[in-house]
Amino acid sequence: MGFAVDSLPKTNVEEHEGIVFCGSSEGVGQAIASSAGKVLLLSDDLSLSEFALSPRVLSIVYDGDALPLFAMPDGVSRVVAAGKRDVLLAARYFAEIRQTACTLLPSEASLDGVFEERGEIVLGGERVCVPLSAAQTLCDPVRLSASLGEGFSRLLLTRLAFYEAAALSEFGICRRAVSCELPADAEGIVLENARVRRAERETYRGEGVLLAAALGGEHPAWDAYLLLSALYTSFFEKGRPRRYYTPDYRARARRAGVGTGELVLPTRQEYAERALVLERIRARFSKEFRTLLDGKEEFRARIATVCGAAVPPFCGGSETLRLLPELSRDGLSAIVRDFGLLE
């Protein structure tokens, strides 16, 4: 199928991305040993407390605000961060400002927080977008094992984003997205996430990522995949523009906590043109999204095989889905909303 979306070529992640698979203690120990001065060890738990007694290590449990990190002495030559996305971003910001080496030990197989060039952190109680340093990444299979299911689900969201971007381009909203594989083993899931996260620095990530963040919970990427694949499939299979209906954009923005000036709304001409486009592309896109939706039991089984545990049942979130257009602003759900189909 000839979509107007670029699929980025694969790269050798281990060679080009600096990914190293090793045990946590081994990797952190080597990072400390290779550093000339003090080492700041930043984590969101106490799993690396064995290093806290070293006279060369300044150990901190991250409390969600990066400002206290800058009270560290000037002699810090490396920051080692172990944890989820917010911890990794804080460490990379510290490394960027202090111009120190940075080593990451992520605890999420999606590798969020590892490759972004800029990211949002809390600094002095305020959320700000900041530049981030490049970093060496150590992946401990044991540490990542509990998050492999979400890592696989994040790749499903990438698949959805690929076809979402293709559909948006047909509707006149130009997007470029990356395609991905769905590996059958743990290491493959991590490496494919690394490749995709790196590619997403220059491509569209899809609104599934925003939905997952808004949903929260134990398996947000999986729930977001179920919700969005069902929404997109229904839209292309059965959706019809409501000719004499206009969504209450003000009320929707108020419920979502955004200003009406932040919304991207179509003109009358754009709306009419998109209604014609929907009929033209309906068959081919309903096929692609139906394939992803119908594959949910196969994907559930693959996650269970890799993780050794069953994926929990769907946790809901339909109300959050209804407000996704206001969060994504110009994602595919916004077109569904403009046609009056998310009320």
Side-chain angles (χ1 to χ4, degrees):
M1 183 181 300
F3 290 127
V5 181
D6 296 326
S7 176
L8 301 186
K10 281 191 173 183
T11 60
N12 185 322
V13 178
E14 286 188 283
E15 177 182 346
H16 296 293
E17 300 293 356
I19 294 287
V20 176
F21 286 92
C22 64
S24 298
S25 295
E26 174 191 1
V28 174
Q30 289 181 357
I32 293 173
S34 65
S35 304
K38 293 279 189 180
V39 174
L40 172 60
L41 178 58
L42 185 65
S43 63
D44 54 11
D45 58 31
L46 299 175
S47 60
L48 298 176
S49 58
E50 62 190 278
F51 298 101
L53 297 179
S54 170
R56 297 182 54 230
V57 173
L58 304 169
S59 181
I60 295 180
V61 176
Y62 188 58
D63 67 357
D65 194 318
L67 187 60
L69 302 183
F70 293 92
M72 295 296 106
D74 292 336
V76 172
S77 62
R78 179 183 297 272
V79 56
V80 177
K84 297 182 179 180
R85 181 176 184 270
D86 59 341
V87 177
L88 307 185
L89 293 181
R92 292 178 60 202
Y93 177 57
F94 177 86
E96 174 71 16
I97 298 302
R98 286 289 189 91
Q99 291 295 290
T100 65
C102 186
T103 298
L104 306 178
L105 192 67
S107 58
E108 296 175 309
S110 63
L111 301 187
D112 283 314
V114 173
F115 296 108
E116 299 96 322
E117 293 179 329
R118 297 183 66 85
E120 282 194 354
I121 65 169
V122 175
L123 191 66
E126 296 185 9
R127 185 164 290 277
V128 293
C129 187
V130 297
L132 304 169
S133 171
Q136 176 194 38
T137 304
L138 310 176
C139 288
D140 179 354
V142 175
R143 175 179 282 268
L144 294 176
S145 61
S147 66
L148 287 172
E150 274 295 279
F152 185 89
S153 300
R154 185 62 182 276
L155 295 176
L156 289 173
L157 291 183
T158 299
R159 280 281 183 92
L160 278 173
F162 178 77
Y163 293 112
E164 181 202 350
L168 286 172
S169 294
E170 296 284 357
F171 283 115
I173 302 173
C174 294
R175 289 287 182 267
R176 178 171 173 261
V178 60
S179 185
C180 71
E181 302 294 333
L182 297 175
D185 64 287
E187 182 173 310
I189 290 173
V190 175
L191 290 177
E192 187 67 353
N193 269 286
R195 185 186 73 84
V196 171
R197 293 295 85 74
R198 183 176 183 271
E200 285 175 346
R201 294 183 301 194
E202 300 176 353
T203 60
Y204 180 60
R205 296 193 307 165
E207 57 186 1
V209 177
L210 290 172
L211 179 58
L215 288 172
E218 188 177 356
H219 298 274
W222 175 255
D223 289 341
Y225 150 70
L226 293 177
L227 283 167
L228 275 186
S229 58
L231 174 67
Y232 294 159
T233 301
S234 297
F235 174 59
F236 283 107
E237 287 186 349
K238 304 175 182 178
R240 295 288 188 278
R242 298 170 66 178
R243 295 179 58 187
Y244 303 108
Y245 179 87
T246 300
D248 189 338
Y249 290 112
R250 289 182 179 274
R252 292 186 60 92
R254 187 166 53 250
R255 290 199 303 270
V258 301
T260 53
E262 299 178 50
L263 302 182
V264 180
L265 306 181
T267 64
R268 287 188 177 183
Q269 181 177 349
E270 287 173 334
Y271 181 89
E273 290 173 349
R274 290 173 182 178
L276 295 175
V277 168
L278 175 60
E279 296 308 316
R280 175 170 57 82
I281 68 175
R282 182 187 298 278
R284 56 190 176 118
F285 280 98
S286 62
K287 177 182 177 181
E288 298 298 345
F289 288 122
R290 169 58 67 181
T291 298
L292 277 168
L293 176 61
D294 288 349
K296 61 181 179 294
E297 293 307 320
E298 174 195 345
F299 299 145
R300 187 189 299 271
R302 289 173 66 177
I303 291 173
T305 299
V306 173
C307 303
V311 176
F314 173 57
C315 294
S318 56
E319 190 59 37
T320 304
L321 178 66
R322 287 192 182 94
L323 296 180
L324 179 60
E326 283 67 44
L327 300 178
S328 65
R329 300 184 186 180
D330 57 357
L332 185 54
S333 68
I335 293 178
V336 180
R337 172 203 63 194
D338 294 338
F339 284 172
L341 303 176
L342 265 180
E343 301 303 320

